[in-house]
Amino acid sequence: MGLLTSAESGLRREADTLAEAYLGSTGNVGLVVGLLVGDENLCLGYGKLSEEVARPPDDRTVFEIGSITKVFTATKKP
């Protein structure tokens, strides 16, 4: 990764702030944020994989989507 421009640095700071708030909520242990800036992408892992695994999640982490599929089913137009 090269040097971040001031706009990219701002995105990174905002992601850090949002991740900190998310991880401060009960039951949330890990989070991955993907940033796309022009042709570049950045994957940021926060927290840990689980209560038992302290390694932070990364761009290869597989997440269970759980009941979020209901949202997509409910918003499908006929």
Side-chain angles (χ1 to χ4, degrees), residues 4-70:
L4 294 176
T5 66
S6 60
E8 294 164 340
S9 293
L11 285 172
R12 174 71 186 257
R13 282 191 302 276
E14 184 68 19
D16 291 347
T17 300
L18 292 171
E20 183 179 339
Y22 175 80
L23 293 174
S25 297
T26 303
N28 298 332
V29 296
L31 172 71
V32 174
V33 175
L35 299 175
L36 300 174
V37 180
D39 294 356
E40 301 298 317
N41 63 66
L42 180 61
C43 181
L44 307 170
Y46 299 94
K48 53 189 178 179
L49 287 175
S50 69
E51 292 293 343
E52 297 79 27
V53 182
R55 183 175 63 80
D58 60 22
D59 60 340
R60 294 179 173 263
T61 302
V62 177
F63 290 92
E64 181 178 332
I65 62 171
S67 64
I68 193 169
T69 55
K70 293 175 191 163

